PDB file of all heavy atoms in Angstrom:
ATOM      1  N   ALA A 358      69.214  25.538 -85.202  1.00 93.00           N
ATOM      2  CA  ALA A 358      70.501  26.048 -85.683  1.00 93.00           C
ATOM      3  C   ALA A 358      70.673  27.584 -85.185  1.00 93.00           C
ATOM      4  O   ALA A 358      71.884  27.804 -84.790  1.00 93.00           O
ATOM      5  CB  ALA A 358      70.464  26.034 -87.199  1.00 93.00           C
ATOM      6  N   GLU A 359      69.605  28.372 -85.304  1.00 91.00           N
ATOM      7  CA  GLU A 359      69.873  29.765 -85.003  1.00 91.00           C
ATOM      8  C   GLU A 359      70.125  29.983 -83.537  1.00 91.00           C
ATOM      9  O   GLU A 359      71.025  30.753 -83.108  1.00 91.00           O
ATOM     10  CB  GLU A 359      68.569  30.506 -85.379  1.00 91.00           C
ATOM     11  CG  GLU A 359      68.735  32.074 -85.562  1.00 91.00           C
ATOM     12  CD  GLU A 359      69.976  32.474 -86.396  1.00 91.00           C
ATOM     13  OE1 GLU A 359      70.143  31.891 -87.463  1.00 91.00           O
ATOM     14  OE2 GLU A 359      70.636  33.346 -85.998  1.00 91.00           O
ATOM     15  N   SER A 360      69.374  29.339 -82.566  1.00 89.00           N
ATOM     16  CA  SER A 360      69.567  29.772 -81.139  1.00 89.00           C
ATOM     17  C   SER A 360      70.408  28.654 -80.496  1.00 89.00           C
ATOM     18  O   SER A 360      70.756  28.893 -79.285  1.00 89.00           O
ATOM     19  CB  SER A 360      68.158  29.615 -80.509  1.00 89.00           C
ATOM     20  OG  SER A 360      67.604  28.214 -80.556  1.00 89.00           O
ATOM     21  N   SER A 361      70.969  27.601 -81.148  1.00 90.00           N
ATOM     22  CA  SER A 361      71.801  26.619 -80.530  1.00 90.00           C
ATOM     23  C   SER A 361      71.104  25.838 -79.370  1.00 90.00           C
ATOM     24  O   SER A 361      71.701  25.233 -78.486  1.00 90.00           O
ATOM     25  CB  SER A 361      73.083  27.108 -80.025  1.00 90.00           C
ATOM     26  OG  SER A 361      73.812  27.759 -81.056  1.00 90.00           O
ATOM     27  N   LYS A 362      69.731  25.848 -79.331  1.00 91.00           N
ATOM     28  CA  LYS A 362      69.051  25.188 -78.356  1.00 91.00           C
ATOM     29  C   LYS A 362      68.764  23.708 -78.685  1.00 91.00           C
ATOM     30  O   LYS A 362      68.589  23.353 -79.764  1.00 91.00           O
ATOM     31  CB  LYS A 362      67.621  25.815 -78.132  1.00 91.00           C
ATOM     32  CG  LYS A 362      67.597  27.137 -77.382  1.00 91.00           C
ATOM     33  CD  LYS A 362      67.303  26.972 -75.842  1.00 91.00           C
ATOM     34  CE  LYS A 362      67.074  28.169 -75.118  1.00 91.00           C
ATOM     35  NZ  LYS A 362      68.220  29.158 -75.175  1.00 91.00           N
ATOM     36  N   GLU A 363      68.840  22.813 -77.597  1.00 93.00           N
ATOM     37  CA  GLU A 363      68.561  21.408 -77.940  1.00 93.00           C
ATOM     38  C   GLU A 363      67.083  21.133 -77.904  1.00 93.00           C
ATOM     39  O   GLU A 363      66.326  21.554 -76.997  1.00 93.00           O
ATOM     40  CB  GLU A 363      69.142  20.543 -76.709  1.00 93.00           C
ATOM     41  CG  GLU A 363      69.046  19.157 -76.937  1.00 93.00           C
ATOM     42  CD  GLU A 363      69.599  18.356 -75.710  1.00 93.00           C
ATOM     43  OE1 GLU A 363      70.790  18.579 -75.318  1.00 93.00           O
ATOM     44  OE2 GLU A 363      68.775  17.568 -75.099  1.00 93.00           O
ATOM     45  N   LEU A 364      66.665  20.665 -79.114  1.00 95.00           N
ATOM     46  CA  LEU A 364      65.208  20.485 -79.268  1.00 95.00           C
ATOM     47  C   LEU A 364      64.797  19.033 -78.813  1.00 95.00           C
ATOM     48  O   LEU A 364      63.708  18.838 -78.346  1.00 95.00           O
ATOM     49  CB  LEU A 364      64.853  20.677 -80.761  1.00 95.00           C
ATOM     50  CG  LEU A 364      65.152  22.047 -81.328  1.00 95.00           C
ATOM     51  CD1 LEU A 364      64.727  22.051 -82.857  1.00 95.00           C
ATOM     52  CD2 LEU A 364      64.337  23.099 -80.556  1.00 95.00           C
ATOM     53  N   LEU A 365      65.684  18.102 -78.958  1.00 95.00           N
ATOM     54  CA  LEU A 365      65.376  16.652 -78.790  1.00 95.00           C
ATOM     55  C   LEU A 365      66.636  15.867 -78.434  1.00 95.00           C
ATOM     56  O   LEU A 365      67.662  16.139 -79.096  1.00 95.00           O
ATOM     57  CB  LEU A 365      64.721  16.150 -80.111  1.00 95.00           C
ATOM     58  CG  LEU A 365      64.314  14.647 -80.042  1.00 95.00           C
ATOM     59  CD1 LEU A 365      63.193  14.320 -79.115  1.00 95.00           C
ATOM     60  CD2 LEU A 365      63.973  14.204 -81.524  1.00 95.00           C
ATOM     61  N   ARG A 366      66.452  15.075 -77.417  1.00 95.00           N
ATOM     62  CA  ARG A 366      67.488  14.114 -77.127  1.00 95.00           C
ATOM     63  C   ARG A 366      66.941  12.696 -77.173  1.00 95.00           C
ATOM     64  O   ARG A 366      66.049  12.297 -76.510  1.00 95.00           O
ATOM     65  CB  ARG A 366      68.152  14.359 -75.690  1.00 95.00           C
ATOM     66  CG  ARG A 366      69.394  13.595 -75.517  1.00 95.00           C
ATOM     67  CD  ARG A 366      69.939  13.906 -74.078  1.00 95.00           C
ATOM     68  NE  ARG A 366      70.155  15.214 -73.794  1.00 95.00           N
ATOM     69  CZ  ARG A 366      70.709  15.663 -72.577  1.00 95.00           C
ATOM     70  NH1 ARG A 366      71.183  14.777 -71.809  1.00 95.00           N
ATOM     71  NH2 ARG A 366      70.735  16.939 -72.335  1.00 95.00           N
ATOM     72  N   ILE A 367      67.645  11.786 -77.999  1.00 96.00           N
ATOM     73  CA  ILE A 367      67.369  10.432 -78.150  1.00 96.00           C
ATOM     74  C   ILE A 367      68.535   9.606 -77.369  1.00 96.00           C
ATOM     75  O   ILE A 367      69.673   9.608 -77.867  1.00 96.00           O
ATOM     76  CB  ILE A 367      67.187   9.981 -79.579  1.00 96.00           C
ATOM     77  CG1 ILE A 367      66.145  10.902 -80.308  1.00 96.00           C
ATOM     78  CG2 ILE A 367      66.863   8.495 -79.684  1.00 96.00           C
ATOM     79  CD1 ILE A 367      66.224  10.789 -81.819  1.00 96.00           C
ATOM     80  N   SER A 368      68.163   9.158 -76.289  1.00 95.00           N
ATOM     81  CA  SER A 368      69.120   8.347 -75.476  1.00 95.00           C
ATOM     82  C   SER A 368      69.173   6.902 -75.655  1.00 95.00           C
ATOM     83  O   SER A 368      68.154   6.240 -75.654  1.00 95.00           O
ATOM     84  CB  SER A 368      69.019   8.627 -73.994  1.00 95.00           C
ATOM     85  OG  SER A 368      69.240   9.973 -73.762  1.00 95.00           O
TER      86      SER A 368
END
Side-chain angles (χ1 to χ4, degrees):
E359 195 55 41
S360 66
S361 303
K362 283 267 191 301
E363 183 183 304
L364 301 176
L365 175 70
R366 188 184 308 187
I367 302 165
S368 294

